[in-house]
Amino acid sequence: MEFWGTISLYIHIIAGTLTLLAGPVAIFYNGDNTKLHKVWGKIFLWSMGIVTTTAIIGFIQHPTHVFYQFLGGLSLIVIFNLYKAIRAIQFRKKLSVSNLDKFVFYLTGIVAFLFTGMASYGFIFKNGGAVYILLMVFGLALFLDLRVLARLIKNESTTAKNWFKQHISGMLAAFTASTTAFMVNVDTGLPWYLAWFGPAIIIQPLLFYFFKKYRLNDKPAKEKGIPTAVVD
């Protein structure tokens, strides 16, 4: 059992390293070099799949440990955002909501509720701490995300622009969660608050940059700014 645990750990580390390499390339070549974006985006996607699977295995092995609960929950956030990003591309072409979409939607709502519940418990009975702050932030973010997705899915006239925004936000959120887990697990010598909150502070503002770059907050008449090669 210990042998397989060690193997799982090394696989997790290798895949995690690939996500840190592939993520920035896919992010910054999302419109300037679409072929490169797609190749590195797929590397990031499959590497994240391995990372989240091994993290969930770790949670199964240590279900009562708060830190592993956090990593397990973080993995679910990554899975949800990757799923959302992929489906956003497919919805752009043809909006066809499946039963799996509904299942993922409600499962994510349950996870968001559990995150905020665990955070509230930690604040009330455990004197708080960084892990509980992050759980609350991620839980509230998931609730907001679900609200947006519900509105988009119900509206069959949703534009390509809105789905492109969901693709960008999903991928950036997944990369932020992955980077946060890396910073928390590795002793970088940084103060704890930078390790825990630095990735979100640095990465998430890129949303505003890309929304402005592709004029995603403009009126539909300016939707021609979307790099269709990326989302086709």
Side-chain angles (χ1 to χ4, degrees):
M1 190 68 175
E2 183 178 348
F3 170 77
W4 290 112
T6 302
I7 294 296
S8 177
L9 176 62
Y10 281 115
I11 292 175
H12 181 87
I13 293 172
I14 293 171
T17 301
L18 279 176
T19 66
L20 296 177
L21 295 174
V25 178
I27 289 170
F28 286 103
Y29 284 97
N30 62 3
D32 302 319
N33 188 328
T34 55
K35 290 184 178 180
L36 199 60
H37 171 78
K38 290 179 179 180
V39 169
W40 285 94
K42 289 179 180 179
I43 293 174
F44 175 75
L45 177 64
W46 287 105
S47 298
M48 280 306 321
I50 296 173
V51 168
T52 54
T53 299
T54 51
I56 291 174
I57 291 174
F59 164 70
I60 293 173
Q61 293 174 333
H62 308 278
T64 60
H65 197 292
V66 174
F67 185 69
Y68 284 99
Q69 291 173 354
F70 166 71
L71 292 181
L74 203 60
S75 297
L76 294 177
I77 288 180
V78 170
I79 291 171
F80 166 74
N81 278 285
L82 290 176
Y83 182 85
K84 180 188 75 168
I86 294 170
R87 290 297 281 151
I89 298 300
Q90 297 169 346
F91 281 153
R92 180 199 175 262
K93 298 177 181 178
K94 182 180 180 181
L95 181 59
S96 179
V97 180
S98 67
N99 288 330
L100 180 59
D101 293 324
K102 296 177 182 178
F103 172 77
V104 172
F105 181 85
Y106 289 116
L107 178 62
T108 304
I110 293 172
V111 173
F113 178 79
L114 289 175
F115 269 34
T116 53
M118 290 173 62
S120 299
Y121 174 82
F123 291 142
I124 296 172
F125 299 105
K126 298 292 184 178
N127 297 320
V131 65
Y132 297 111
I133 296 174
L134 273 179
L135 285 172
M136 180 61 75
V137 170
F138 289 142
L140 294 176
L142 281 178
F143 276 128
L144 292 174
D145 215 11
L146 286 171
R147 182 170 174 268
V148 172
L149 279 180
R151 187 168 65 249
L152 289 173
I153 290 174
K154 290 179 180 179
N155 182 9
E156 294 188 359
S157 65
T158 296
T159 64
K161 176 179 66 177
N162 288 328
W163 289 123
F164 188 45
K165 289 174 71 173
Q166 291 303 308
H167 175 72
I168 293 174
S169 65
M171 283 299 187
L172 283 180
F175 183 60
T176 300
S178 172
T179 308
T180 300
F182 172 81
M183 296 294 289
V184 170
N185 274 292
V186 177
D187 184 9
T188 60
L190 294 172
W192 69 268
Y193 49 86
L194 289 181
W196 285 80
F197 302 108
I201 293 172
I202 294 173
I203 297 171
Q204 284 304 299
L206 289 174
L207 277 175
F208 302 103
Y209 168 76
F210 289 119
F211 286 1
K212 181 178 181 180
K213 179 180 179 180
Y214 297 121
R215 298 179 292 183
L216 298 180
N217 290 324
D218 290 350
K219 295 180 179 180
K222 295 186 178 182
E223 194 169 318
K224 62 182 180 181
I226 300 175
T228 55
V230 173
V231 293
D232 283 340

